[in-house]
């Protein structure tokens, strides 16, 4: 019974995380068919899932490599889609989008080299700033819609500060993004590639791979290591 309960909690947490992947795919459809106004409440809902899943996984003790991968993929996809959509409203966001792409390339290269560029305090701060700033810009761009509920004075205030404040936010996002690129690049270059260690190794059996991805104890004991390295074993002679 206890095992079944834990399994249920595991899938609840990862389903919450996966809703951001689905939501990110749906967002462009909503934007181009219904406009940016329709995105406001949808974006708030997706941000809430980002706040909930991590806390629940630690509270229920169901952390895993699968959850970590899903969280990383969903966060990155959500950021790309939000930046792409809002760049129609604020073209300056294209520079931030470029930096996010560079970070993605750095992490991908690290993965192919069996390295593990973990998210640092700078990277986590960047994510918080990015999410917060994009939320504000989303509200700015939907000011006419929100004005129906918050009044004409709300529209006047937002209209007055929108131009200058949006560029301040874009500047902050670009700055922290640039610092993150430098930080991740430095970490990747400092790590010694383990290509030599991986010679003569083969991918583990699928049963072992699933165990690595799903088991909390394996994640807790190895989260500082490269996942790709964990998935390989010595070839039988």
């Amino acid at each position: 019974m206890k095992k079944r309960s834990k399994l249920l909690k595991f899938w609840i947490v990862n389903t919450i995380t996966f809703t951001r992947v689905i939501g990110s795919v749906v967002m462009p459809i909503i934007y181009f068919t219904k406009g940016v106004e329709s995105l406001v409440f949808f974006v708030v809902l997706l941000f809430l899932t980002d706040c909930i899943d991590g806390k629940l996984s630690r509270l229920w003790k169901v952390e895993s490599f699968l959850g970590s991968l899903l969280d990383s993929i969903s966060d990155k996809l959500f950021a790309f889609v939000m930046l792409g959509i809002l760049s129609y409203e604020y073209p300056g966001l294209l520079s931030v989008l470029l930096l996010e792409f560079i970070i993605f390339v750095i992490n991908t290269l690290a993965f192919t080299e069996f390295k593990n560029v973990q998210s640092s305090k700078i990277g986590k701060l960047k994510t918080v700033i990015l999410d917060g700033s994009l939320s504000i810009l989303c509200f700015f761009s939907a000011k006419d819609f929100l004005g129906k509920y918050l009044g004409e004075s709300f529209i006047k205030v937002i209209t007055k500060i929108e131009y200058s404040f949006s560029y301040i936010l874009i500047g902050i996002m670009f700055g922290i993004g640039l610092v993150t690129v430098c930080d991740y690049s430095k970490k990747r270059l400092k790590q010694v590639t383990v290509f030599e260690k991986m010679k003569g190794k083969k991918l583990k059996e699928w049963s072992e791979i699933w165990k690595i991805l799903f088991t909390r104890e394996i994640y807790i004991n190895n989260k500082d290591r490269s996942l790709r390295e964990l998935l390989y074993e010595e070839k039988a002679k």
Side-chain angles (χ1 to χ4, degrees):
M1 190 71 177
K2 189 177 179 181
K3 187 177 181 181
R4 186 179 296 178
S5 174
K6 193 162 187 177
L7 186 62
L8 178 62
K9 290 175 180 178
F10 175 87
W11 285 113
I12 287 173
V13 168
N14 287 290
T15 300
I16 291 172
T17 305
F18 192 67
T19 56
R20 285 202 303 286
V21 176
I22 303 299
S24 299
V25 174
V26 171
M27 278 198 299
I29 300 172
I30 295 174
Y31 176 77
F32 288 111
T33 58
K34 302 292 184 181
V36 71
E37 295 85 358
S38 303
L39 280 179
V40 176
F41 299 113
F42 192 64
V43 167
V44 170
L45 182 64
L46 292 179
F47 274 130
L48 286 175
T49 66
D50 195 18
C51 298
I52 292 170
D53 59 359
K55 288 182 173 60
L56 277 181
S57 67
R58 290 186 291 274
L59 178 66
W60 288 343
K61 295 182 179 179
V62 291
E63 305 101 309
S64 67
F65 274 113
L66 177 67
S68 178
L69 281 171
L70 269 178
D71 189 60
S72 178
I73 291 168
S74 63
D75 286 348
K76 189 61 67 178
L77 182 60
F78 181 68
F80 274 132
V81 173
M82 278 293 291
L83 285 166
I85 288 173
L86 288 176
S87 65
Y88 280 89
E89 313 289 329
Y90 307 99
L93 285 174
L94 289 173
S95 61
V96 182
L97 181 60
L98 176 62
L99 289 178
E100 283 296 303
F101 179 73
I102 293 172
I103 292 171
F104 171 75
V105 170
I106 292 169
N107 287 330
T108 302
L109 288 173
F111 179 78
T112 60
E113 295 166 349
F114 295 91
K115 296 178 180 178
N116 185 24
V117 181
Q118 281 192 312
S119 180
S120 61
K121 289 182 179 179
I122 293 174
K124 291 175 181 176
L125 177 63
K126 187 267 300 179
T127 300
V128 171
I129 290 175
L130 188 67
D131 289 350
S133 299
L134 290 176
S135 298
I136 293 171
L137 292 177
C138 189
F139 275 93
F140 278 1
S141 45
K143 61 183 180 297
D144 293 331
F145 171 74
L146 295 173
K148 296 175 183 178
Y149 303 94
L150 301 175
E152 288 293 326
S153 57
F154 169 81
I155 297 177
K156 288 179 181 178
V157 170
I158 296 301
T159 302
K160 190 175 181 180
I161 67 170
E162 180 181 8
Y163 182 80
S164 56
F165 204 66
S166 64
Y167 275 96
I168 291 172
L169 289 176
I170 291 170
I172 293 172
M173 284 187 281
F174 183 83
I176 192 67
L178 192 60
V179 171
T180 305
V181 166
C182 296
D183 181 51
Y184 282 15
S185 297
K186 184 179 177 182
K187 283 186 175 182
R188 174 181 160 254
L189 292 173
K190 278 181 69 176
Q191 287 187 28
V192 178
T193 182
V194 291
F195 271 130
E196 292 300 319
K197 288 169 59 179
M198 300 309 294
K199 284 182 178 179
K201 291 192 174 185
K202 66 172 184 176
L203 192 65
K204 291 180 178 178
E205 297 292 332
W206 276 107
S207 58
E208 281 296 309
I209 292 173
W210 286 117
K211 187 177 178 181
I212 290 168
L213 290 175
F214 283 79
T215 307
R216 178 178 186 263
E217 288 71 24
I218 294 176
Y219 172 76
I220 295 298
N221 294 328
N222 296 278
K223 60 183 178 181
D224 292 332
R225 293 178 62 190
S226 165
L227 174 60
R228 195 176 180 199
E229 186 179 356
L230 288 173
L231 300 179
Y232 284 77
E233 64 183 357
E234 296 288 347
K235 288 182 180 178
K237 294 183 179 179

